[in-house]
Amino acid sequence: MRYLFVVCALLLTACASPTTTSVIGTKRAAIAPEQVTVYLQEPENYEAIAFITATSDASFSIGDEAKMEAVLRRLKEAAAAVGANGVLLRTTGERQDDSVHVGTGIGRSTGNLGFGISLGKSFGLTDKTAEGVAIYVPKPVTD
């Protein structure tokens, strides 16, 4: 039973979080991620709540566009968790992740003599990344 606990703890700590949040302002009540808008330029009036980062790591997304959609979804989720209704996107990029190794081999031995052949291929995986600021943009006052 003790070994099962140790294995579970190791597995949980080995999984890196696909988002990080560093609160720099006043958190608000959480909202739905669908209510969060991504801004490419600073809005006229806003309040910074947190610095946030996200990656497409462990999203199982295939293709650059799908990976970036996963990153944006994660940024919105992180912003919504601190009550921000906007994300001011600062940077996007790529990060080299773990590699996948695939291979096969055959071998034969007779007495003291052995012979083997193996073939393999390594595939590097690339994750999309983004950094932004979780912001609160007040609703415009209408007359």
Side-chain angles (χ1 to χ4, degrees):
M1 185 65 168
R2 190 167 74 178
Y3 293 115
L4 180 62
F5 175 78
V6 171
V7 169
C8 289
L10 287 174
L11 286 174
L12 287 174
T13 57
C15 298
S17 174
T19 61
T20 61
T21 304
S22 299
V23 177
I24 58 171
T26 304
K27 287 174 66 173
R28 296 174 174 269
I31 62 172
E34 297 80 28
Q35 296 176 300
V36 177
T37 302
V38 176
Y39 294 90
L40 301 179
Q41 297 178 353
E42 290 185 10
E44 194 172 308
N45 185 21
Y46 69 92
E47 174 190 330
I49 298 176
F51 292 121
I52 53 178
T53 64
T55 72
S56 61
D57 189 28
S59 68
F60 303 106
S61 300
I62 298 174
D64 289 343
E65 188 175 336
K67 288 180 181 182
M68 188 50 71
E69 287 175 7
V71 169
L72 292 175
R73 183 184 70 250
R74 288 175 172 174
L75 284 176
K76 287 181 175 184
E77 289 169 354
V82 295
N85 62 0
V87 173
L88 180 55
L89 192 60
R90 293 293 189 194
T91 62
T92 61
E94 292 184 342
R95 178 185 74 182
Q96 194 69 23
D97 200 2
D98 297 330
S99 297
V100 175
H101 307 282
V102 179
T104 185
I106 59 170
R108 175 143 178 121
S109 64
T110 312
N112 292 334
L113 182 63
F115 177 75
I117 297 176
S118 63
L119 300 170
K121 175 70 177 165
S122 293
F123 301 93
L125 301 177
T126 303
D127 289 330
K128 294 291 185 185
T129 63
E131 297 177 3
V133 181
I135 60 175
Y136 177 76
V137 180
K139 303 256 187 254
V141 179
T142 56
D143 293 326

